[in-house]
Amino acid sequence: MDSKAYIFDIKRNTSEDGPGIRTTVFFKGCPLNCSWCQNPEGIAPGPSLSFRPELCHPDDCDRPCIKACKTKALTLQDQLLRLDRERCDKCGRCATVCSRHALEQVGQWLNVDELFYRVAIDKPFFDATGGGVTASGGECTTQMNFLHEFFKKLKAVGIRTAIETNGMFNFGRFARLLLPWLDLIYFDLKLIDEAASIRHTGHSNRHILDNLLRLTESAEIPVKIRIPLIPEITATDENLRGIARFLREHRIKQVSVLPYNPLWLDKLQRFDMDVEYRHGAFMSDAEIEHCIDCLQAS
Ligand code: SF4
Ligand code: SF4
């Protein structure tokens, strides 16, 4: 079987996604739809087209993109290039002829061998620093069969593996296909209240909490719980105190926080995304400290 996955980014030399020097692979597709998603281009499965009008100067260009587009999604209006996303089938032909990179197809289909060779090149750095490869997303567990083959191949040559997950997976398949090949799990816990979870992520959190408990009870590898601190959504006293109570009830002692990063807002224009949540500031040290106090005091 030559399974393929749609990968929208491969970041080498990362240090935030696990111990040592790592390569993080971002898989496209996610079952949640968080209103603050830092990688909104990773939610939909398959290709996406990025358009940066500030790089496009149609009056100084032969406009090969318009000729390349078979669906007539690109037109010139008032001397500006317009992209009609309803017509666009994300074939990427326009991006291959745009030398200014105003149009770019995000990501690519890779098979297991292709992805393996791209990441294994850094094995000497992984070995020297205790690093490895982290699968992220989107939600990487949406491509469980592919990940199974990929991790097996990495482990066969002694490369350590980790995943970042939002917990929306089938536990039986996860335990069978991924757990035996993993060294570390980062589990994002966002909201403790079910209604808030439905409102802000589009899904109930019941399944996520069940999976978290099953993992912490049965996994023989570290399961590191992280709370993304999203102002006014997850970074509220009520949510953090509720999470702290839940963790204490289940004798889970360790949790860390991921402070909000507003830089994702730049992506909205590139992908013509219309979202309600647009908090534009980093959190202050005092705000982060307050969140940690809420977790510790409850
Ligand atoms: S998108 Fe690229 S190829 Fe098309 S008009 Fe703009 S600069 Fe030219
Ligand atoms: S991705 Fe394909 S369909 Fe979409 S604008 Fe480009 S050429 Fe046209």
Side-chain angles (χ1 to χ4, degrees):
M1 182 178 62
D2 184 24
S3 67
K4 288 194 171 191
Y6 202 85
I7 308 296
F8 71 97
D9 204 0
I10 299 174
K11 283 206 170 93
R12 295 169 70 190
N13 298 321
T14 61
S15 55
E16 305 98 49
D17 303 321
I21 290 178
R22 308 193 74 80
T23 294
T24 303
V25 181
F26 295 83
F27 289 75
K28 220 160 170 314
C30 181
L32 300 185
N33 194 5
C34 301
S35 52
W36 65 86
C37 180
Q38 309 274 298
N39 293 321
E41 75 277 32
I43 295 176
S48 302
L49 187 70
S50 153
F51 177 41
R52 298 172 68 185
E54 73 277 14
L55 298 182
C56 171
H57 301 283
D59 43 354
D60 185 27
C61 173
D62 289 341
R63 306 189 279 270
C65 56
I66 295 179
K67 292 175 204 124
C69 181
K70 302 265 190 284
T71 66
K72 300 199 183 337
L74 292 169
T75 50
L76 196 67
Q77 291 173 31
D78 302 327
Q79 297 308 307
L80 293 174
L81 188 74
R82 304 282 177 198
L83 166 61
D84 180 346
R85 289 192 182 266
E86 296 285 311
R87 285 176 172 262
C88 172
D89 64 8
K90 305 179 187 83
C91 70
R93 273 189 289 265
C94 56
T96 63
V97 296
C98 176
S99 56
R100 293 187 173 149
H101 305 289
L103 288 158
E104 284 185 317
Q105 196 175 35
V106 175
Q108 58 194 309
W109 291 104
L110 292 177
N111 66 30
V112 172
D113 285 345
E114 288 165 336
L115 184 58
F116 172 80
Y117 288 117
R118 291 204 188 188
V119 301
I121 191 170
D122 286 327
K123 184 172 184 304
F125 301 106
F126 303 153
D127 290 347
T129 62
V133 172
T134 302
S136 184
E139 172 57 29
C140 61
T141 61
T142 55
Q143 307 189 48
M144 202 94 84
N145 290 332
F146 181 96
L147 267 187
H148 168 74
E149 296 297 328
F150 179 52
F151 284 158
K152 234 167 68 174
K153 216 166 161 73
L154 292 174
K155 296 298 282 182
V157 297
I159 295 178
R160 294 175 193 81
T161 57
I163 62 164
E164 295 177 329
T165 178
N166 60 29
M168 277 293 280
F169 49 73
N170 175 297
F171 189 84
R173 294 192 73 225
F174 185 93
R176 184 165 48 85
L177 293 174
L178 298 191
L179 257 187
W181 312 102
L182 275 170
D183 295 301
L184 174 62
I185 298 170
Y186 287 108
F187 195 112
D188 284 358
L189 183 53
K190 306 169 199 295
L191 290 155
I192 200 68
D193 178 68
E194 187 179 16
S197 177
I198 293 169
R199 188 161 65 249
H200 294 294
T201 75
H203 280 272
S204 162
N205 57 357
R206 293 274 171 88
H207 188 61
I208 294 169
L209 297 176
D210 280 354
N211 279 345
L212 174 61
L213 295 181
R214 291 178 80 178
L215 263 186
T216 52
E217 281 159 16
S218 64
E220 290 170 1
I221 56 170
V223 179
K224 298 198 176 211
I225 301 169
R226 305 185 302 188
I227 304 171
L229 295 179
I230 312 301
E232 294 147 37
I233 299 183
T234 68
T236 64
D237 293 12
E238 188 187 359
N239 184 51
L240 295 170
R241 293 203 162 115
I243 287 178
R245 277 194 299 277
F246 172 83
L247 296 178
R248 200 179 51 243
E249 269 166 36
H250 296 283
R251 289 188 275 284
I252 298 171
K253 295 201 172 86
Q254 286 200 332
V255 63
S256 60
V257 295
L258 295 170
Y260 180 71
N261 182 338
L263 297 180
W264 68 281
L265 291 167
D266 290 348
K267 296 179 180 176
L268 295 176
Q269 188 194 21
R270 286 172 52 195
F271 297 98
D272 278 338
M273 289 175 168
D274 190 18
V275 297
E276 267 180 42
Y277 187 78
R278 288 173 182 260
H279 189 86
F282 285 94
M283 296 176 78
S284 66
D285 289 348
E287 286 170 324
I288 297 168
E289 281 302 318
H290 177 75
C291 291
I292 293 170
D293 285 348
C294 284
L295 286 166
Q296 288 174 339
S298 302

